[in-house]
Structure formats: structure tokens, C-alpha cells
Amino acid sequence: GSGINLSNSALQPQHSSGVEFGVYQRLDLPGEATFAELTLAAYRQEVRDEIDFDLRTFKYGNILQSRHDGIEASLTARLSPVLSLRNAFTLMQVTFRSGENAGKRLKNIPQVVATSSAHLSPGKSIEGTLTHRFVGGLFLDDPNREWLPGSHSFDAMLSWMVGAVRLQLVGVNVGDSHASTG
């Protein structure tokens, strides 16, 4: 065989500055121990010498300048003492700010991530969670020629107490989706 060398002696440390604004609101709902929480945030981050991995050369390198813009939102609702729902949504735009790919999106960073989950805890000894995840809009290459379609996956968790020990059974990608990201 042949060896693979991932190192790069020319690699520079990454530096960034940014700003983020957000709001949070909690609302008590009618019923026992019920509430809803909403969070919204928007951010912009300017990065110099962002560290990137190049699959063509199998080495780490620097991106001179990039910008990370995004909006994140989540809504959590405890509808009863045994049922909680959570939805989270992120919309991102991560672009090169210099070089031959200026204005194009960085590879392997999705444009949309959405997660929904339901958590059921019918008693002190047992609980379960089912989670749906959507990841979409990512490129495999810096020139933005190779695009991956969105993917859906489901995860499940079942937990129960046996004496003083809590056991968990976790299923990742339960439907055997051909998801593009983990």
C-alpha cells in the first residue's frame, strides 16, 4: 500500500468575529405543567483562514475568507406531563468571500436543517423519543457543481428504569434512509 499524510505545515489558525441577535419567549399553557418556548436567532460570522478538508488532496487547508449567515428557530411545547414536542429549524448560507470560488457556498455545509421530535414519558420508569431530521441543500465540491438532494432520517430512543439503573435502547436511522449526512 501507500501512505496518506493529512498534515499541512502551511495551515494557519482560524480567526472569526461575528454578531448574533436573538429572542426567547416562554408561555404557560392551560393544564398541569404545560408550557411552550420559542427561540429565534440570527447571526453573521466573518472567518479568516477557515480550516477546510479537501477530499481531492486528502489534506487540510485554509479558506482565506468566508461568511456564515443564518437564522435559527425552535419551538418546544410540553402539552401534558407525559407529552412534549420540539421543532427546530436552521437556514444557513455559508459562502466564500475571496478566491476563485468567491460568492459560492462552502462544501458539506447544509443550507437547511429541520428537526422534529416527540417525547413520551408515561411513567417514572419508561420514556421514549421519536425524532425526524431533514438535511438539505449541500454541495460536495467548492465550485458548487455536485449537489446532494435533501435527506430524511428517523431516530428512536426507548429508556426504562430497572432498579437504580436506567437502560436505553437507541435506534439511529431507523428507516434505513440513504441520508447524505449524519
Side-chain angles (χ1 to χ4, degrees), residues 121-132:
S121 53
K124 291 181 182 178
S125 64
I126 190 164
E127 61 185 62
T129 303
L130 179 63
T131 303
H132 168 260

Side-chain angles (χ1 to χ4, degrees), residues 105 108-111 134-141 144-151 178-181:
R105 295 198 13 235
N108 297 327
I109 299 177
Q111 191 170 30
F134 172 77
V135 177
L138 72 110
F139 287 99
L140 292 173
D141 62 341
N144 294 174
R145 291 186 299 252
E146 299 295 327
W147 170 271
L148 278 182
S151 64
H178 296 283
S180 60
T181 63

Side-chain angles (χ1 to χ4, degrees), residues 87-144:
N87 291 290
F89 181 79
T90 303
L91 181 62
M92 297 174 275
Q93 186 76 12
V94 182
T95 56
F96 288 94
R97 302 302 293 161
S98 64
E100 66 183 281
N101 294 312
K104 295 187 177 174
R105 295 198 13 235
L106 272 65
K107 67 180 175 291
N108 297 327
I109 299 177
Q111 191 170 30
V112 176
V113 177
T115 305
S116 298
S117 64
H119 180 81
L120 190 62
S121 53
K124 291 181 182 178
S125 64
I126 190 164
E127 61 185 62
T129 303
L130 179 63
T131 303
H132 168 260
R133 187 171 289 108
F134 172 77
V135 177
L138 72 110
F139 287 99
L140 292 173
D141 62 341
D142 292 332
N144 294 174

